[in-house]
Amino acid sequence: MSSRIWFHASGGQQKGPFPEAQFRDLIAQGIVRADTLVWAEGMAGWQKAGEVPGLVPGAAAPPALLIDGSSSGHSGGPLSVDLPLWSFLGWWILLVIGNLLVIPAPWTATGYYRWLFPRVYVPQRPNITFTGQVGDIWYVFVAMGLVGYAGYVDSILQILAMPVQAVLSWMIMRWVVANLSSNGQPIPMTYTGSVWGFIGWQIVMFLAVFTIIGWAWVMAAWMRWICRGIIGTRREIVFTATGFQLLWRTLAFGFGCLFLIPIPWLLRRYFAWTMSQFALVERGAGTNA
């Protein structure tokens, strides 16, 4: 373990890299505690320091497990996110305001991605950042904001605008995937899902809403389809949640929001759970669903 390079999460951001000796000093100083999320090359994913055998004095744990329950001989595992409550709520409010006012939408969306991705912990991909610029596809966000008003003009117009929304969402997906980096190096990923597929899923999702509960299974299948379109690295991303899990958690979230006060906590919890349902596996080693 003496040659390992370590990272840890602090204040909602990733810190590092730290050589082994320096990282041990951080533990001795109490900066890295047993409940601090840490990661080093070869680990299955981000873990609490106290769960890493031999890292924190007085703490012990079995070897890290991958998504399929095997020991950490291969790289992979679920994603996780650390969201400061009020900052997270503030960014969501800014996103809503940006979309309503239309013109600020490119700035609020780009700012949100830059704030969010450094707080996302990806197995063996430390210091994730978003490098997209406001001017890249500003017109897409403006168009998305304008299309959002279609329902206020006419309900039929709102239905007709769905394919346009799907195309715009597809363009944003491609932009986001292409502008992720790790440790300052671009991640060679691209999104290859077809725009016609995106339109099709959007329409199916709209129809599924009328079944009351069927939308959850459609959403789970849609997420898996999106994941299959992300290529370029030796690992693939999968979505592991079932339709039933999406359904009851969404219903619980909606019911809790009726009480208003818990909304910030519920929103953060729901978002963090959704993020944890995405995982990395070796290509061909996990599910391709």
Side-chain angles (χ1 to χ4, degrees):
M1 190 181 294
S2 60
S3 61
R4 272 181 156 178
I5 300 297
W6 290 87
F7 298 83
H8 73 91
S10 176
Q13 296 187 9
Q14 299 177 42
K15 306 291 186 180
F18 298 102
E20 175 79 16
Q22 184 179 0
F23 197 69
R24 293 282 182 180
D25 288 340
L26 297 179
I27 296 173
Q29 297 169 26
I31 296 174
V32 175
R33 304 182 300 273
D35 60 348
T36 302
L37 288 173
V38 301
W39 179 85
E41 185 176 358
M43 290 176 56
W46 287 83
Q47 289 181 271
K48 293 181 179 179
E51 297 175 353
V52 179
L55 184 60
V56 178
L65 297 181
L66 296 183
I67 186 173
D68 61 357
S70 61
S71 59
S72 55
H74 301 87
S75 59
L79 279 59
S80 61
V81 63
D82 182 14
L83 300 170
L85 178 63
W86 300 115
S87 297
F88 180 57
L89 180 63
W91 273 110
W92 271 81
I93 293 173
L94 284 175
L95 284 175
V96 172
I97 294 174
N99 285 334
L100 288 175
L101 298 179
V102 179
I103 298 301
W107 283 268
T108 55
T110 304
Y112 172 68
Y113 293 139
R114 289 178 179 172
W115 174 86
L116 174 65
F117 280 104
R119 292 165 172 80
V120 176
Y121 306 132
V122 180
Q124 301 207 13
R125 286 287 188 184
N127 293 327
I128 298 294
T129 54
F130 179 72
T131 60
Q133 302 297 317
V134 173
D136 293 342
I137 56 170
W138 62 269
Y139 49 90
V140 174
F141 290 101
V142 171
M144 185 71 84
L146 291 173
V147 170
Y149 281 97
Y152 295 100
V153 178
D154 184 81
S155 58
I156 300 299
L157 184 60
Q158 183 179 24
I159 296 175
L160 296 176
M162 280 196 305
V164 178
Q165 290 178 316
V167 172
L168 296 174
S169 298
W170 174 78
M171 295 176 69
I172 293 172
M173 174 69 70
R174 288 169 56 89
W175 176 63
V176 170
V177 170
N179 283 281
L180 296 178
S181 66
S182 172
N183 265 352
Q185 299 297 317
I187 302 175
M189 293 193 308
T190 55
Y191 179 68
T192 61
S194 72
V195 64
W196 293 110
F198 230 92
I199 293 172
W201 279 109
Q202 182 104 346
I203 294 173
V204 172
M205 187 67 186
F206 171 76
L207 297 175
V209 170
F210 293 99
T211 68
I212 309 302
I213 64 174
W215 64 266
W217 281 263
V218 172
M219 178 61 74
W222 190 2
M223 290 298 102
R224 292 187 177 95
W225 178 82
I226 288 176
C227 288
R228 287 198 295 269
I230 300 175
I231 64 171
T233 61
R234 63 183 176 84
R235 297 182 295 176
E236 62 181 327
I237 187 168
V238 296
F239 185 71
T240 61
T242 65
F244 178 72
Q245 290 172 323
L246 279 172
L247 179 64
W248 79 259
R249 287 182 180 273
T250 303
L251 291 177
F253 169 72
F255 177 77
C257 288
L258 295 177
F259 297 93
L260 299 181
I261 293 178
I263 288 178
W265 290 269
L266 291 171
L267 180 62
R268 180 176 66 170
R269 185 177 183 86
Y270 186 81
F271 188 93
W273 174 81
T274 302
M275 185 65 68
S276 71
Q277 301 310 296
F278 291 93
L280 292 180
V281 297
E282 295 290 336
R283 291 194 179 274
T287 177
N288 290 317

